[in-house]
Amino acid sequence: MNYFAYFDLPVRFFTDKQVLRSRFLEKSKQLHPDFHTLADQPAREEAEDLSSLNNKAYQTLADDDARIRHILELHGLFSDEESYKMPPDFLVGVMDINESLMELEFDFNQGRFDATLSAIRALENDLNALIRPGLLAFDNGETSEAILAGIRDFYFKRRYLLRLKENLAKFAAA
């Protein structure tokens, strides 16, 4: 299902979150199961299903990563992360970070922790700066394969960096 169409919104990476929230609340008022308690069982079940759809659609479009994934799915460009092959140049670029994570596992050092976190954030900032023109071009109507392929690569690189941050956070909690 196209959640953008569901909320009558254009398919964009930079969604107006206030308009999204407003449309979500409008539909919530119409669909919430509490407003259908006097209806028969099938109507109540339908209201529950529609309310669940409304919530899922909103959660997907309100979250940047989920919204990117949804747009990629709409264009038939999403594949499981297990089948996606990370570009070798990116893996070389994160090799030092992975080594730092392994070293932290055996010998926690606050300086190494801070440096690793800074390196991950720098990569995130670089990725965001590189992809922004492609995201804006898409939002302005350019849906070329090259732009969408770049956005797909960005999505998986971003997910990879998120996992690195999650692994790093385990050391902070210890």
Side-chain angles (χ1 to χ4, degrees):
M1 163 164 245
N2 181 336
Y3 295 144
F4 292 96
Y6 175 78
F7 285 121
D8 194 27
L9 295 170
V11 178
R12 292 195 174 141
F13 290 104
F14 297 105
T15 297
D16 185 330
K17 290 189 179 181
Q18 289 180 330
V19 172
L20 172 62
R21 181 151 177 77
S22 173
R23 304 254 168 102
F24 164 71
L25 293 174
E26 286 172 23
K27 287 190 177 280
S28 292
K29 289 177 187 174
Q30 298 166 358
L31 302 172
H32 197 279
D34 288 349
F35 299 121
H36 301 276
T37 56
L38 299 178
D40 62 5
Q41 183 64 24
R44 286 194 312 268
E45 288 175 3
E46 181 181 12
E48 287 177 22
D49 291 344
L50 291 172
S51 182
S52 292
L53 171 65
N54 190 49
N55 289 330
K56 182 174 168 84
Y58 176 73
Q59 290 167 355
T60 298
L61 297 185
D63 178 82
D64 293 340
D65 281 337
R67 186 171 54 255
I68 291 170
R69 179 180 174 155
H70 184 61
I71 292 172
L72 292 172
E73 288 171 340
L74 291 174
H75 287 273
L77 293 172
F78 187 82
S79 64
D80 289 335
E81 292 182 49
E82 290 81 33
S83 65
Y84 178 79
K85 300 293 182 213
M86 198 62 64
D89 61 328
F90 178 77
L91 293 174
V92 168
V94 296
M95 192 179 316
D96 288 341
I97 294 171
N98 280 312
E99 288 175 7
S100 290
L101 285 170
M102 285 188 289
E103 290 173 10
L104 283 167
E105 188 173 343
F106 295 106
D107 181 28
F108 181 82
N109 173 297
Q110 187 64 46
R112 184 180 299 127
F113 176 89
D114 293 341
T116 304
L117 181 57
S118 292
I120 294 170
R121 286 181 177 159
L123 274 174
E124 285 177 322
N125 290 337
D126 291 346
L127 273 177
N128 288 332
L130 286 172
I131 199 59
R132 187 169 175 76
L135 297 173
L136 290 169
F138 178 92
D139 283 1
N140 288 319
E142 170 118 17
T143 59
S144 72
E145 285 184 34
I147 286 178
L148 287 166
I151 293 168
R152 180 175 174 259
D153 285 344
F154 164 77
Y155 173 81
F156 285 109
K157 289 175 183 176
R158 186 169 160 158
R159 302 295 303 159
Y160 188 93
L161 293 177
L162 177 63
R163 283 191 300 276
L164 291 177
K165 283 172 64 175
E166 288 171 349
N167 287 337
L168 187 62
K170 293 175 188 174
F171 299 113

